[in-house]
Each structure stands twice: as C-alpha cells, then as structure tokens.
Amino acid sequence: MNTPAKPEAGPLLRLALDLGPLVVYFAAYSLTGKNIFAATGIFMVATVAAMLFSRIRFGWISAMQWFSSVMVLVLGGLTLWLHQDWFIKIKPTLYYLMVSGILWFGLWTGRPTLKLALGSAYPGLNERGWVLLSRNWAIFFIVMAIANEAVWRNFSTSVWIGYKLWGALPATMIFAAANVPMLLKHGLGETPAEAISEKPPQE
C-alpha cells in the first residue's frame, strides 16, 4: 500500500513559515512593554512551532529553516541565560555573513549553492542566471550585515526592532523584486509575482 505523498508548500506558506516567527517577535516586543528578553523567549517558541508545523504538514524542514532556527535558539538561549540582549542582536549579522560566505564559496567552486536550496522555486533559470542571482544576494547580505551592526551598536533597542520591521524586511523584498528582470532575461519560467514570493528566506 502506497503512503500518500506529503503536500508541497506553496510560495505564500513558505514565506509565512520564514517570516511568521519574526512577525511574532515584533508583536511580542510591543505587547510585553518593549521587553526584549520576553520577546526573545516568545520568538524562540514561535521558531520551534514553525519548524514543527513544516515537519508535520510537509514532512520536511528546509536547510535554510534549520540554519536560521538553530541560530535563533542558540543566540536566543544565550540572551536569556546571560541576560545580554546583544546576543540576539548580532544574530542577523552572523546569519547574513554566513549565508553570504556560503554563496561566495559556491561561486568560487563553480557550483552556485543557491541553486541547491531554491532550484524548484526558479524553473527554467539557466546557469548564468543562477550565478548572477547568487552573486547579487551574496553582496546584498554583506550590506545587510553592515547595516545591522551599524543600527544595533549606535541606536536603542526600539530603533533596532523598528529597523528590522520597517527597514530590513522592505529592503529584502525590494531587492528580490529588483532581480526579477534579470531572472526573466535568463530563462525564468515563472511570473514576476511568483519569483518575488520565492525569495531566499529571512533571518
């Protein structure tokens, strides 16, 4: 007897699984009276919930979701244990730099690692397109790492939280949209809206 195949996650649900815990983090920070430690604990719970949902509903947890979630749990745990909020604040910086490093390594070895993680999201994209997309995101993530460091080191926690919600997220979406013409030029078989929704996952 054949076991029914697990359903595939649609682009909007994938985006919700990536961004959902982050949105919960912003809401928790506001609802707890701007208590970053309470918000961090709730963020960790939401991260685990997203992983469990993905595993139960679809039978898998993506490599990028594992990567981001482990960083949230480790640095979030250090934040709560040592009562030092800078641990959770450097999480985006470390995430951006590590992902950028992985992308650069893939380009250096001639195997764009972004293709391995997101190949099904960009059907028809040729090798040149994958190289350009990987390069573009690698550069973008370095810029975002620098921006995160500049904000959390020079401004209040409230400003940093606001930057993540109203700065980092919109910047990522705009950058993803800006890549669509290049993707279409290099064989992407989806519509621009679908391509945007399948951007690399958020930190």
Side-chain angles (χ1 to χ4, degrees), residues 4-201:
K6 292 284 187 178
E8 289 289 331
L12 293 180
L13 185 53
R14 290 186 188 184
L15 194 63
L17 289 173
D18 291 333
L19 299 183
L22 200 56
V23 173
V24 169
Y25 186 35
F26 299 142
Y29 181 74
S30 177
L31 295 175
T32 58
K34 298 184 177 181
N35 186 327
I36 192 170
F37 300 105
T40 296
I42 295 171
F43 183 30
M44 294 168 66
V45 172
T47 297
V48 172
M51 293 178 70
L52 290 175
F53 179 86
S54 182
R55 181 67 180 88
I56 294 170
R57 183 73 174 86
F58 306 110
W60 54 263
I61 299 173
S62 70
M64 295 298 288
Q65 190 177 16
W66 268 115
F67 180 54
S68 179
S69 297
V70 168
M71 292 190 69
V72 168
L73 296 178
V74 170
L75 293 174
L78 288 172
T79 297
L80 299 181
W81 182 33
L82 300 176
H83 211 67
Q84 296 288 333
D85 61 7
W86 65 267
F87 283 108
I88 198 65
K89 289 179 179 180
I90 67 168
K91 184 264 176 184
T93 301
L94 296 178
Y95 176 86
Y96 291 138
L97 291 178
M98 291 178 72
V99 173
S100 181
I102 291 170
L103 294 177
W104 284 119
F105 179 77
L107 291 172
W108 180 62
T109 58
R111 295 180 298 176
T113 47
L114 199 59
K115 184 178 181 180
L116 299 176
L118 300 173
S120 62
Y122 295 96
L125 187 63
N126 60 33
E127 289 303 314
R128 178 59 178 167
W130 281 113
V131 168
L132 293 175
L133 184 64
S134 297
R135 181 205 63 187
N136 291 352
W137 280 106
I139 295 172
F140 177 77
F141 284 139
I142 291 176
V143 172
M144 292 297 286
I146 294 172
N148 185 68
E149 285 296 294
V151 174
W152 86 260
R153 289 179 183 276
N154 293 287
F155 298 95
S156 67
T157 296
S158 294
V159 170
W160 176 73
I161 291 285
Y163 156 74
K164 287 178 63 63
L165 179 60
W166 304 112
L169 283 180
T172 302
M173 297 299 293
I174 292 171
F175 185 78
N179 277 279
V180 172
M182 180 276 292
L183 296 175
L184 294 174
K185 182 179 178 181
H186 289 281
L188 183 68
E190 295 183 350
T191 63
E194 290 170 327
I196 294 172
S197 66
E198 291 287 0
K199 65 178 179 60

